[in-house]
């Protein structure tokens, strides 16, 4: 059996394109999916290390509660699909429970990288206001994580050009599907 767990970002929920379509891809590949709908974050997280840390710990505590009855031993393959702060939450949760996971990391924040020790792929936009592209490149190289960079894209991997966003989304989902299919 296969399980995919979806970890959203602070303002990027599972009904937004990256998580919605990657969840559908996982389901089409035979994964049972669970979403982790955490919330109740402080306002003004961006730019505040203290609020980011607080948000991480809130999301991790909520994740523990939401997944407390999930028996991960039933699954031979576990996939974590995560976005933004969710990349840190997914990585920490996996470590805390000694899980072997494969990962799709959408726009990890800088604080995620020390926790990202499981295999996966990373997507990042060059205009992401939460983390510098140079740091993402360096950390992905160090951790041997394939990195897909979307030029001129923000933290949601979007530009100001809707047609370009649709083309980019197709490319992102193609890479996501290829990765999930290779697990």
């Amino acid at each position: 059996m296969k399980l995919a767990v979806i970890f959203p970002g602070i303002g990027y929920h599972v009904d937004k394109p990256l998580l919605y379509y990657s969840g559908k891809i996982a389901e089409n590949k035979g994964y049972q999916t669970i979403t982790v709908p955490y919330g109740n974050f402080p306002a003004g997280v961006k730019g505040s290390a203290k609020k980011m840390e607080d948000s991480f710990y809130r999301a991790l505590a909520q994740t523990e509660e939401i997944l407390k009855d999930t028996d991960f031993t039933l699954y031979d393959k576990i996939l974590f699909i995560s976005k933004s702060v969710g990349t840190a939450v997914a990585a920490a949760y996996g470590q805390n429970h000694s899980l072997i996971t494969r990962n799709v990391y959408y726009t990890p924040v800088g604080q995620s990288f020390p926790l990202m020790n499981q295999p996966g792929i990373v997507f990042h936009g060059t205009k992401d206001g939460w983390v510098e592209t140079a740091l993402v490149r360096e950390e992905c190289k160090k951790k041997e994580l394939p990195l897909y960079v979307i030029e001129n894209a923000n933290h949601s991997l979007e530009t100001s050009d809707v047609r370009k966003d649709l083309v980019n989304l197709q490319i992102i989902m193609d890479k996501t599907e290829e990765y999930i299919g290779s697990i």
Side-chain angles (χ1 to χ4, degrees):
M1 289 199 328
K2 302 187 283 190
L3 177 67
V5 184
I6 303 173
F7 298 83
I10 290 174
Y12 200 97
H13 308 289
V14 297
D15 58 346
K16 292 204 175 186
L18 296 171
L19 298 179
Y20 177 82
Y21 289 115
S22 58
K24 292 292 184 197
I25 289 169
E27 287 173 0
N28 289 340
K29 298 283 185 191
Y31 284 79
Q32 175 188 343
T33 58
I34 298 174
T35 59
V36 185
Y38 41 69
N40 193 27
F41 297 110
V45 174
K46 186 176 180 183
S48 170
K50 183 178 181 342
K51 286 182 179 181
M52 176 58 94
E53 184 178 1
D54 180 47
S55 296
F56 164 76
Y57 283 113
R58 284 184 192 203
L60 187 57
Q62 291 173 56
T63 299
E64 292 289 347
E65 181 61 27
I66 292 163
L67 297 178
K68 71 179 181 201
D69 296 325
T70 303
D71 184 356
F72 287 95
T73 65
L74 298 175
Y75 302 95
D76 9 302
K77 294 180 182 179
I78 301 169
L79 170 67
F80 284 175
I81 300 170
S82 56
K83 170 76 175 82
S84 187
V85 73
T87 61
V89 174
Y93 183 86
Q95 282 182 0
N96 292 349
H97 294 272
S98 301
L99 298 176
I100 297 171
T101 63
R102 297 297 180 263
N103 296 271
V104 176
Y105 299 111
Y106 292 119
T107 67
V109 293
Q111 297 88 333
S112 300
F113 286 102
L115 302 168
M116 292 167 53
N117 296 316
Q118 296 283 336
I121 58 173
V122 176
F123 293 88
H124 168 77
T126 60
K127 293 208 173 168
D128 187 330
W130 288 78
V131 63
E132 293 292 323
T133 300
L135 175 69
V136 174
R137 287 185 194 280
E138 178 184 323
E139 290 294 329
C140 286
K141 184 177 180 180
K142 222 187 305 186
K143 294 182 176 280
E144 298 180 3
L145 294 168
L147 171 62
Y148 298 96
V149 176
I150 310 302
E151 291 298 323
N152 300 312
N154 63 18
H155 193 58
S156 295
L157 296 179
E158 296 175 348
T159 67
S160 58
D161 181 341
V162 175
R163 292 194 183 278
K164 181 67 175 162
D165 292 343
L166 291 172
V167 170
N168 286 342
L169 183 62
Q170 177 69 51
I171 293 167
I172 293 164
M173 289 304 119
D174 286 348
K175 294 296 183 190
T176 298
E177 184 171 28
E178 182 182 304
Y179 177 73
I180 292 173
S182 75
I183 297 173

